[in-house]
Amino acid sequence: MPAQGNLYDAVVVGGGPAGLTAALYLARARYRVIVVEGDRFGGQITITDQIVNYPGVLSTSGTQLTDTMRQQAQSFGAEFRLAQVTGLDVDSDVKVVRTTKGDLRCLAVLMATGASPRQIGFEGEKDFRGRGVAYCATCDGEFFTGKRVFVVGGGFAAAEEGAFLTRYASHVTILVRGDDFTCAPATADVAKNNPDVDVLYNTEVVRVQGKDAVRSITYRNRVAGEETTYAAEDGDRIGVFVFAGYAPASQLLQGVCQLDPHGYVLTDADHMTTADGVFAAGDVCVKELRQVATAVGEAAATSTSMERYLKAAHDRTGLVPQAPEARPVAEQKAVGSRDAGQAAQSGAASATGRGMANAAQVAGSTGPGSQLIDAAMAQQLQPVFDRMERALQLRLHLADDDVSAELRAYMEALAALTPKLDVAVADSTVDPQDQLPYVDVCRNGEPTGLQFHGVPGGHEFTSFVLGLYNAAGPGQPLDDADRKAIDAIESPVDLTVIVGLSCTMCPEVVTAAQHVAALNPNVTARVYDVNRFPALRERYNVMSVPCLVVRPEGAQERVSFGRKGLSQVLELVG
């Protein structure tokens, strides 16, 4: 009989609202549950800047809402692991979920993998991704300040994000393939009644064109058959944001259970798939409305069905996993503190919503950085600092400006939390062309290869703390393949990551690049806030973040856009 100490009642695959809700309900019912997430906990909703239609919450961001969900689940004993799920073996009573950080054994599986933005396939869409074609208004809207923007789609996201983009764009045109929006009239009216938004119905994109960025778009009226081309004046750029629905992340279930023709999972009245003991909830399922509220409600119902299934499984097999240990939220030092790497991410993420103070706030503080890190943030970070094995120096390269003052104040406030960090200011002989200001993370007096140019605020505070943890050790766990790939880098490689502080997809790329640099002295990872260094943005025609530039010594540099994990970054380096 298998050892029950290594057995879970349920493995939840996917850490979005559905997965987090199910974990909360199952853990509260005293079942042992673990949530496995490949990217970052929170799911697709974390790219949403403002949520105003979740009952009981007047207004919040996707990140803040899901951070709270995760804390609730954690308080009842739910466990969390950042890893990629590579396969499922569900034919027996004890099911196996295979991940890049080891196999997980359980009595039931919940698939809450959600869906990802769908590409349309018009001519030029793939070629200009990151250089005019975008999929996230919150992440990339600022790149189109003062420019014409076209939004493709007719659903909730197209209407809402189209209106949101008027904060930046000179004008927004929404191209709707049908004869009206498909979302609720209240949402559609926000776009329809906006004076800076035009809506063209029965219209589809034919192509986008340009040399190094999108300079023109051609679209067709599906009724009249007429094509129209809009070309930016004087070689200017335009933006094309695609909100054409989502593709279900159901690849793991192919051959395991029944899917519909579009790849969505089919479930019965108990939310179980056609595979015994495998349940599904959230956006990966067939459903009419994909919203946080529906994902949460569906997951609550699914977890109740799973409770009945698990009770029967206990009686049938005699296997009863160890019940979770509930921990009041107030006693948690960091969500996911069973693993210090997860604690680093959680602690830093809790500070993300607070962001960085601007220069005026720094100037008005009663001491250097005194208003930048509050008691709650300090408490979240303490477990990370306690685990750090070596001391680090935050070496500052500064100019005589407000941004440098902000960077210095924040680094001094961070170092005040632990004796394992100290701050030093480099002398004035630094090359003024060296894109000041920046912080150089040093170990034993020598650079680790981790640099941040600008101020690591917003979502980049998360990656900065993880970078410190990886540089000091023991660092986030690695699977054998990734460690071997890092060790195999024998020639110098410079990794430049261009980010936006409001981008929720950037920290994963930054963390991966810095992890490689922390473990291999041949690699340097330089991170740049795109808004602080416009010349860099122009050099690489960056109109979407994250942008990763890989420069191997003696070889041609490679530029890549979009979210990437460690293995994907290593593939580009190799």
Side-chain angles (χ1 to χ4, degrees), residues 26 46 55 91 98 113 200 216 248 416 482:
L26 289 168
T46 58
D91 293 333
R98 307 195 184 282
T113 47
L200 301 180
S216 69
D482 286 339

Side-chain angles (χ1 to χ4, degrees), residues 38 141 157 237 250 301 325 363 392 505 513:
R237 304 169 179 177
S250 58
E325 177 185 354
L392 299 173
M505 295 185 287

Side-chain angles (χ1 to χ4, degrees), residues 274-524:
T274 53
D276 182 66
V278 179
F279 296 77
D283 287 358
V284 74
C285 298
V286 175
K287 56 194 300 187
E288 291 186 1
L289 180 63
R290 289 178 168 79
Q291 293 282 289
V292 177
T294 60
V296 167
E298 190 174 89
T302 303
S303 60
T304 302
S305 297
M306 292 179 72
E307 289 176 27
R308 293 193 295 268
Y309 178 89
L310 289 169
K311 179 62 171 64
H314 291 176
D315 296 339
R316 183 177 66 254
T317 65
L319 299 174
V320 182
Q322 179 181 352
E325 177 185 354
R327 292 181 298 152
V329 173
E331 296 179 5
Q332 296 179 57
K333 291 185 177 180
V335 178
S337 59
R338 289 183 176 87
D339 176 86
Q342 293 177 14
Q345 178 171 357
S346 178
S350 70
T352 297
R354 299 176 180 88
M356 291 288 203
N358 59 28
Q361 290 174 305
V362 173
S365 63
T366 57
S370 64
Q371 295 183 0
L372 302 180
I373 300 181
D374 61 24
M377 188 191 303
Q379 184 182 28
Q380 292 281 337
L381 294 173
Q382 202 56 55
V384 184
F385 295 144
D386 290 345
R387 286 290 304 274
M388 286 169 52
E389 295 177 340
R390 287 167 287 187
L392 299 173
Q393 182 184 75
L394 305 176
R395 187 176 298 168
L396 305 179
H397 301 261
L398 307 174
D400 186 17
D401 57 20
D402 289 342
V403 181
S404 294
E406 183 180 353
L407 175 61
R408 181 170 184 170
Y410 205 92
M411 292 300 103
E412 289 178 345
L414 195 64
L417 299 178
T418 174
K420 295 177 182 177
L421 295 176
D422 76 281
V423 177
V425 179
D427 61 40
S428 58
T429 60
V430 174
D431 185 347
Q433 302 301 315
D434 206 11
Q435 294 167 310
L436 302 176
Y438 71 92
V439 55
D440 199 359
V441 179
C442 298
R443 184 176 53 218
N444 299 324
E446 297 296 328
T448 60
L450 279 65
Q451 295 180 358
F452 193 98
H453 294 247
V455 182
H459 290 286
E460 286 312 315
F461 184 59
T462 303
S463 56
F464 187 76
V465 172
L466 285 170
L468 296 178
Y469 179 69
N470 289 328
Q476 295 171 283
L478 288 173
D479 61 34
D480 291 340
D482 286 339
R483 184 171 292 278
K484 289 178 181 177
I486 293 173
D487 292 341
I489 302 172
E490 298 180 347
S491 301
V493 180
D494 183 87
L495 301 178
T496 293
V497 191
I498 304 170
V499 303
L501 301 187
S502 63
C503 173
T504 60
M505 295 185 287
C506 291
E508 184 180 4
V509 183
V510 172
T511 300
Q514 291 184 335
H515 204 167
V516 177
L519 297 179
N520 190 312
N522 292 317
V523 180
T524 299

Side-chain angles (χ1 to χ4, degrees), residues 144-212:
F144 301 92
T145 299
K147 303 183 185 304
R148 285 291 299 267
V149 163
F150 291 81
V151 169
V152 183
F156 178 91
E160 186 177 62
E161 304 293 10
F164 173 84
L165 284 165
T166 60
R167 299 184 187 185
Y168 307 104
S170 61
H171 196 80
V172 173
T173 301
I174 303 179
L175 309 179
V176 180
R177 197 170 188 274
D179 56 9
D180 200 354
F181 286 97
T182 59
C183 58
T187 302
D189 287 346
V190 173
K192 290 179 178 180
N193 298 331
N194 191 310
D196 294 321
V197 175
D198 287 334
V199 182
L200 301 180
Y201 300 105
N202 297 305
T203 303
E204 60 187 4
V205 181
V206 177
R207 72 183 70 88
V208 294
Q209 292 178 300
K211 183 179 180 181
D212 52 1

